[in-house]
Amino acid sequence: MNTMGPEGILDYRIARLRDRLALEEAAELGVHIETHGTRAVVRGAVADEEARALVLHLAGEELAGLDWYEDLTLYRSRPPDHIEELS
């Protein structure tokens, strides 16, 4: 019999997602998972679209069936690929 309430289930699933983000190939330390009531928010910055897709895939697996959304941004860790023109 499962006696864990909705908040406990959310906390447990968020902890599993945090572990996977830290230990698996994602290793996205700039990503944080917060709770707002009974909703999880995956927030932070990732290196590129591939990393974003991986974080969203892991979140989708761990938070399936729960109310959650993402607020991820990309940061550029390499120089620009074009010359900036100033006027």
Side-chain angles (χ1 to χ4, degrees):
M1 181 170 130
N2 185 356
T3 59
M4 191 180 300
E7 295 84 12
I9 291 171
L10 180 61
D11 291 343
Y12 173 77
R13 305 269 292 276
I14 287 173
R16 284 182 44 95
L17 176 56
R18 285 180 180 141
D19 287 347
R20 289 186 71 185
L21 288 173
L23 299 175
E24 291 189 15
E25 65 273 8
E28 287 295 332
L29 301 177
V31 175
H32 308 281
I33 299 93
E34 305 167 357
T35 57
H36 294 273
T38 58
R39 174 183 277 182
V41 180
V42 179
R43 177 173 287 144
V46 294
D48 53 32
E49 283 293 336
E50 185 177 315
R52 182 178 185 275
L54 181 56
V55 168
L56 293 178
H57 174 76
L58 294 175
E61 287 182 352
E62 293 300 332
L63 303 176
L66 299 175
D67 185 16
W68 70 279
Y69 71 95
E70 60 90 11
D71 182 16
L72 296 173
T73 58
L74 303 178
Y75 62 84
R76 185 177 290 231
S77 60
R78 58 186 179 272
D81 58 357
H82 63 282
I83 296 173
E84 181 178 357
E85 293 185 31
L86 302 175
S87 52

